Amino acid sequence: MDGISSARDPWVVHKFGGTSVANAERYRHVAQVLSERPEPRKAVVVSAMSGVTDALIRAVDRAERRDPEYQTVLEDLRRQHREVVSELMPLERGRELMERIERDLGDIADVLRGIWLLRSHSLSAMELISGYGEVWSAQMLAHH
């Protein structure tokens, strides 16, 4: 069926870990690998960029201990994602994605401020915050 899928074609799932999407060059490589695969029905699962989930967890821990370093962690994540986005895609598409990431970082900062005030965090808060890295990674690959 030359590139056209049917309901009988099986889904093939491709999983890429954090080091596979560590920077713009690695995202380009993943996209190339996927484009060269012959399967008509593909699903792709990507981890957060290398170190991002650990950084988000560290931000929660710092906020809980009332360590202002949590804000530096968020700034580092902002810078890391901005660099990759700017290398990976055209300006307008990159701007759209960075606006989305900025909104997410604002939401994360709000939750972290609450954790700072409470001096504790729930499992739900940790899961919410630590999951953003995978969302951003999937969005970056999809936009690329």
Side-chain angles (χ1 to χ4, degrees):
M1 288 195 138
D2 291 339
I4 300 172
S5 68
S6 75
R8 291 186 311 246
D9 291 325
W11 280 95
V12 176
V13 178
H14 301 272
K15 168 68 170 88
F16 297 94
T19 56
S20 296
V21 290
N23 55 42
E25 177 185 340
R26 301 303 305 152
Y27 276 100
R28 282 191 284 274
H29 177 74
V30 166
Q32 180 181 349
V33 166
L34 291 169
S35 70
E36 293 172 356
R37 296 294 306 173
E39 305 89 11
R41 295 175 69 164
K42 294 178 249 201
V44 181
V45 178
V46 290
S47 294
M49 286 193 299
S50 184
V52 168
T53 301
D54 289 342
L56 289 165
I57 292 169
R58 190 169 54 254
V60 171
D61 291 338
R62 297 281 195 279
E64 184 175 42
R65 289 185 291 166
R66 290 207 166 179
D67 180 345
E69 167 77 12
Y70 83 87
Q71 295 170 330
T72 304
V73 172
L74 290 185
E75 281 306 312
D76 291 345
L77 288 168
R78 174 178 284 113
R79 186 174 23 261
Q80 179 182 9
H81 284 80
R82 184 176 290 131
E83 286 173 11
V84 172
V85 167
S86 69
E87 287 180 47
L88 199 55
M89 58 197 70
L91 183 62
E92 191 56 39
R93 192 175 319 151
R95 189 174 318 163
E96 261 179 51
L97 181 54
M98 273 315 299
E99 286 172 5
R100 192 172 306 148
I101 292 171
E102 288 291 345
R103 283 192 303 272
D104 292 345
L105 285 165
D107 291 344
I108 291 168
D110 290 344
V111 175
L112 290 174
R113 177 69 179 143
I115 290 169
W116 170 282
L117 293 170
L118 292 169
R119 294 183 184 188
S120 76
H121 70 274
S122 66
L123 178 60
S124 305
M126 179 65 84
E127 289 173 347
L128 172 73
I129 291 172
S130 65
Y132 273 99
E134 281 83 7
V135 172
W136 296 333
S137 187
Q139 290 171 340
M140 288 191 298
L141 183 59
H143 274 70
H144 174 64

